[in-house]
Amino acid sequence: MLYQNLSPAPADPILGLTDAFKKDSNPSKVNLGVGVYMDEKGRTPILKAVKQAEKILLDSQDTKSYLPIAGAPEYGQAVQELLFNSRESARMRTAHTPGGTGALRVGADFLRKIRASATVWLSSPTWANHKGIFSAAGFKTAEYPYYDPASHGIAFDRMRECLKAIPEGDIVLLHVCCHNPTGVDLSPEQWKDVIGIAQERKWIPFLDFAYQGFGKGVEEDRAVLEPLLDAKLAFFVASSFSKNFGLYQERVGALTLVAETADAAEAAFSHVKTTIRVLYSNPSAHGGAIVTTIFRDPALRSLWLSELNEMRGRIAAVRKEFVNQLKAKGASMDFSFICRQNGMFSFSGLSDAQVSYLREKKAIYMVAGGRMNVAGILPGNIGYLCESVAEALERAP
Ligand code: LMR
């Protein structure tokens, strides 16, 4: 038998939670696992701007022929405008990829061709899939210090020290905003410092930008990319439009390569295209066409921005309410740091024993390490959640 000696693979630490949650028959169950936005009713609605763009596309699309390997050029322009306000486009190229994960993997496979012996440095902690993606591409991975549990902030001195020791040609994965899983971001001054170190040490910054607009705003979140352009470094940006356009199931993202010169960008991008060709040939069109349509139409673009602001605003309000209710329910820990975190996630400070207690006794699902999706906290479950967290702190210290 072909699979006789094959034991089942472990469930995915994030997506596996959704499967377990669906199977749970507890009527009070709460899903704070996967990073998907939910409104107050617990729905993940299609944005109005997306619906309108889809209507336009339904009427205007006249072919289903293949896209180019790197996707439609106008999509690439939209992405570069979103990231860099169309600055210095001659030394950048963008490929439309299947989501942010696809962007990371294409970038990793490309880099493996030219930097086979490099180590990829990941923040400690980081998104559960980063290590898997870069390891699958054949890279060794290592960690740089990032989160300081004692202060619920960044261990910046230790991070700096480690980044300064990283050898030339290694790859450093940085989260632009809404750090996943901690929600704790570098300040603009710290970013400048990190960019200075990259310039001095000549390692390659690879930026994961999956939450543009969920931090402080679309413009504010991308502002940290400007000094990178000024530094004339070569770097990569993996964008995802799952969250900020709500296009999760369309798998729409982008890999933007920025090179030191226009000629270098052209040469490097030819290899990115050969990388894509053997992975999935060329991207599926629909998600990218939605983003481009919204971007080209001023009315749709401002509708999208207002919907994005509304999502960000709801999450910020939930953070405050969560902290207040935890206090009111007598939680024996100060959770006020949660209000200082950005984006969809909160690193709650709960131990693995408390996370297991909440799952087993209360049917409350969050990622190991204590990451919770704040958008999953709803008016209908916040009371139960806060009581349960207070109980877990007592019973599973
Ligand atoms: C998450 O971190 O929950 C999301 O990015 C979804 C995923 O693919 O893990």
Side-chain angles (χ1 to χ4, degrees):
M1 276 220 317
L2 182 57
Y3 303 122
Q4 203 171 3
N5 298 322
L6 197 63
S7 47
D12 183 82
I14 297 176
L15 300 183
L17 286 178
T18 309
D19 298 336
F21 175 82
K22 281 186 182 151
K23 285 186 199 136
D24 196 322
S25 57
N26 186 331
S28 307
K29 65 185 178 176
V30 179
N31 188 4
L32 306 179
V34 67
V36 169
Y37 178 78
M38 287 177 229
D39 65 13
E40 291 206 333
K41 299 204 169 77
R43 294 170 313 198
T44 303
I46 300 175
L47 299 187
K48 291 189 198 80
V50 167
K51 271 284 183 206
Q52 290 186 25
E54 284 186 309
K55 284 200 184 108
I56 294 172
L57 288 171
L58 191 63
D59 291 339
S60 64
Q61 254 182 352
D62 54 7
T63 181
K64 295 285 184 191
S65 182
Y66 292 123
L67 287 183
I69 292 174
E74 53 275 21
Y75 173 77
Q77 278 159 17
V79 173
Q80 290 178 15
E81 195 183 327
L82 195 54
L83 295 176
F84 299 108
N85 261 339
S86 304
R87 264 192 68 190
E88 302 209 35
S89 51
R91 60 186 191 98
M92 57 183 74
R93 297 286 183 281
T94 297
H96 173 180
T97 57
T101 303
L104 289 163
R105 182 61 194 267
V106 168
D109 279 1
F110 162 64
L111 277 166
R112 177 90 173 122
K113 291 181 184 169
I114 55 166
R115 283 276 181 270
S117 60
T119 295
V120 178
W121 293 81
L122 306 171
S123 64
S124 172
T126 195
W127 179 45
N129 214 18
H130 277 147
K131 190 172 158 66
I133 291 168
F134 286 97
S135 303
F139 281 114
K140 293 186 293 295
T141 62
E143 290 188 339
Y144 60 84
Y146 186 81
Y147 185 69
D148 174 31
S151 64
H152 303 287
I154 295 179
F156 193 63
D157 288 346
R158 287 192 295 124
M159 174 179 177
R160 228 179 150 267
E161 205 180 311
C162 182
L163 295 183
K164 274 183 153 272
I166 291 177
E168 178 171 348
D170 272 7
I171 298 147
V172 179
L173 198 288
L174 298 156
H175 303 226
V176 181
C177 70
C178 310
H179 182 271
N180 182 0
T182 67
V184 179
D185 293 329
L186 295 173
S187 68
E189 294 68 37
Q190 288 170 330
W191 262 104
K192 281 198 191 120
D193 204 348
V194 167
I195 293 162
I197 299 172
Q199 228 172 346
E200 181 190 313
R201 299 296 304 163
K202 298 191 169 53
W203 42 253
I204 305 162
F206 198 138
L207 310 181
D208 190 339
F209 204 5
Y211 293 88
Q212 185 173 2
F214 272 89
K216 305 267 184 275
V218 167
E219 285 299 315
E220 294 85 340
D221 293 348
R222 65 160 208 90
V224 299
L225 300 175
E226 295 278 332
L228 261 167
L229 278 188
D230 297 337
K232 304 280 177 217
L233 286 173
F235 63 97
F236 295 82
V237 186
S239 304
S240 165
F241 301 123
S242 297
K243 333 278 173 173
N244 52 11
F245 283 81
L247 288 170
Y248 307 88
Q249 62 179 230
E250 301 298 348
R251 307 309 301 135
V252 50
L255 177 71
T256 299
L257 166 158
V258 182
E260 286 100 336
T261 64
D263 286 349
E266 188 62 19
F269 201 58
S270 66
H271 292 280
V272 170
K273 287 194 275 192
T274 59
T275 304
I276 291 173
R277 177 69 170 136
V278 295
L279 283 171
Y280 53 89
S281 191
N282 49 74
S284 61
H286 190 60
I290 293 170
V291 170
T292 310
T293 305
I294 292 175
F295 234 74
R296 285 174 147 190
D297 180 322
L300 282 185
R301 192 164 160 165
S302 76
L303 175 60
W304 165 64
L305 279 173
S306 70
E307 293 186 280
L308 177 54
N309 291 345
E310 198 180 311
M311 292 193 273
R312 189 177 62 250
R314 181 179 120 67
I315 294 174
V318 170
R319 286 185 184 279
K320 287 203 188 105
E321 186 56 21
F322 183 51
V323 171
N324 290 343
Q325 289 218 23
L326 280 167
K327 202 167 169 193
K329 302 281 181 194
S332 59
M333 193 173 132
D334 175 14
F335 284 97
S336 53
F337 62 88
I338 286 181
C339 290
R340 298 194 294 273
Q341 298 170 335
N342 291 316
M344 227 179 243
F345 303 119
S346 181
F347 216 39
S348 62
L350 296 174
S351 66
D352 284 344
Q354 288 154 352
V355 170
S356 303
Y357 181 92
L358 288 168
R359 176 167 168 176
E360 279 150 29
K361 306 272 191 244
K362 301 288 169 182
I364 295 172
Y365 290 75
M366 60 182 84
V367 178
R371 185 195 90 171
M372 53 172 80
N373 175 16
V374 179
I377 304 178
L378 316 173
N381 67 25
I382 190 165
Y384 173 70
L385 171 66
C386 293
E387 271 159 33
S388 303
V389 169
E391 184 181 310
L393 290 170
E394 295 307 317
R395 306 242 174 112

